[in-house]
Amino acid sequence: MQTDLKNSRTRMNLMRAFAGECQSRQRYYQAALLAQQQKLIGIERMFRFTAEQEERHAMVFWKLLQECAGETVEIEAGFPADVYEDIGQLLDASQREEEKEHIVVYPDFARIAEEEGFAQAASKFRAIAEIENEHSTRFAYYAGLYREGKLFRSDDAQQRWICLNCGHVHVGSEPPQECPVCSAEQGYFIREAEAAFTSCEIMKQ
Ligand SMILES: [Fe+2]
Ligand SMILES: [Fe+2]
């Protein structure tokens, strides 16, 4: 067991993780811009929300690299060129990438960190792997809605939709083409349960 980060594999893995998280953040910002162009505002916000979390992950790994301040950490790594114009393909690619981080990459890094005696790094790799699983679930959910044409259509006639622009709630199987209150396009509507800080069940108890 070694505890000197300098000649460890964990040092490289921390830099790989940092590089990967920075790229995820950038990829999701770009995906958000594309969704915005296509007037899918709910998807845009979801990508931005996730991008901000990736930024925080990068900061967690960055902090653990403090011991290497001033050095150059050489790494060999592969990153996906997920350059798609199609939101469905982007959601699928993002989901696959998150799943890989959750199942393969971070558990591997955690195991190596543990073997090398870096308990803190191991626990951060594990904790962030769990978050990537949440991201994977989120992307899979929206990829499914997109593919099935259900972003703005529900089988439930009592579905509650919220306008992300003004907060207006519409009940029905589809949100209106245009918000009757603020005139925002249909792309601003998402299912109320998907929105943060809305008057969900827990607030009404
Ligand atoms: Fe992440
Ligand atoms: Fe993620």
Side-chain angles (χ1 to χ4, degrees), residues 40-71:
L40 298 171
I41 307 304
I43 299 285
E44 178 211 341
R45 300 281 168 88
M46 184 275 297
F47 270 120
R48 283 189 194 282
F49 178 71
T50 314
E52 275 174 28
Q53 294 170 2
E54 305 300 12
E55 177 180 289
R56 298 297 145 162
H57 300 176
M59 286 166 76
V60 169
F61 295 128
W62 186 240
K63 255 189 155 169
L64 289 169
L65 281 161
Q66 213 161 27
E67 268 184 56
C68 309
E71 295 167 22

Side-chain angles (χ1 to χ4, degrees), residues 1-199:
M1 191 188 285
Q2 67 182 107
T3 43
D4 177 15
L5 195 59
K6 246 178 195 146
N7 298 308
S8 67
R9 293 167 72 194
T10 294
R11 168 179 136 124
M12 283 189 286
N13 290 341
L14 284 170
M15 188 54 93
R16 282 191 183 105
F18 174 72
E21 295 291 347
C22 290
Q23 290 186 34
S24 298
R25 168 181 177 263
Q26 180 67 17
R27 260 195 291 273
Y28 299 158
Y29 270 132
Q30 289 171 184
L33 290 177
L34 191 72
Q36 187 187 30
Q37 283 166 16
Q38 298 183 12
K39 305 194 187 309
L40 298 171
I41 307 304
I43 299 285
E44 178 211 341
R45 300 281 168 88
M46 184 275 297
F47 270 120
R48 283 189 194 282
F49 178 71
T50 314
E52 275 174 28
Q53 294 170 2
E54 305 300 12
E55 177 180 289
R56 298 297 145 162
H57 300 176
M59 286 166 76
V60 169
F61 295 128
W62 186 240
K63 255 189 155 169
L64 289 169
L65 281 161
Q66 213 161 27
E67 268 184 56
C68 309
E71 295 167 22
T72 295
V73 180
E74 304 278 349
I75 57 165
E76 204 180 285
F79 300 104
D82 291 333
V83 190
Y84 300 115
E85 292 293 303
D86 177 74
I87 293 289
Q89 274 179 306
L90 260 177
L91 288 165
D92 283 339
S94 305
Q95 188 274 325
R96 280 195 302 272
E97 194 53 25
E98 296 286 357
E99 191 177 75
K100 198 171 102 193
E101 285 177 348
H102 166 63
I103 295 177
V104 185
V105 181
Y106 288 152
D108 233 38
F109 288 180
R111 184 185 43 78
I112 293 167
E114 214 144 62
E115 282 168 16
E116 291 186 328
F118 301 109
Q120 206 194 5
S123 93
K124 298 293 183 194
F125 284 134
R126 286 224 167 85
I128 290 179
E130 287 311 309
I131 302 171
E132 308 305 6
N133 191 31
E134 300 289 327
H135 290 180
S136 169
T137 305
R138 185 182 303 156
F139 287 131
Y141 169 76
Y142 284 103
L145 288 183
Y146 183 85
R147 222 181 349 260
E148 291 160 29
K150 288 188 166 173
L151 276 179
F152 308 109
R153 188 170 52 78
S154 169
D155 297 331
D156 178 6
Q158 295 304 307
Q159 181 65 56
R160 290 172 65 87
W161 306 87
I162 185 167
C163 169
L164 289 173
N165 198 42
C166 73
H168 168 64
V169 174
H170 171 90
V171 179
S173 55
E174 285 179 23
Q177 286 300 319
E178 190 185 284
C179 176
V181 179
C182 72
S183 304
E185 294 144 345
Q186 191 181 50
Y188 276 86
F189 282 89
I190 59 172
R191 286 161 175 79
E192 190 188 32
E194 298 166 353
F197 310 120
T198 48
S199 344

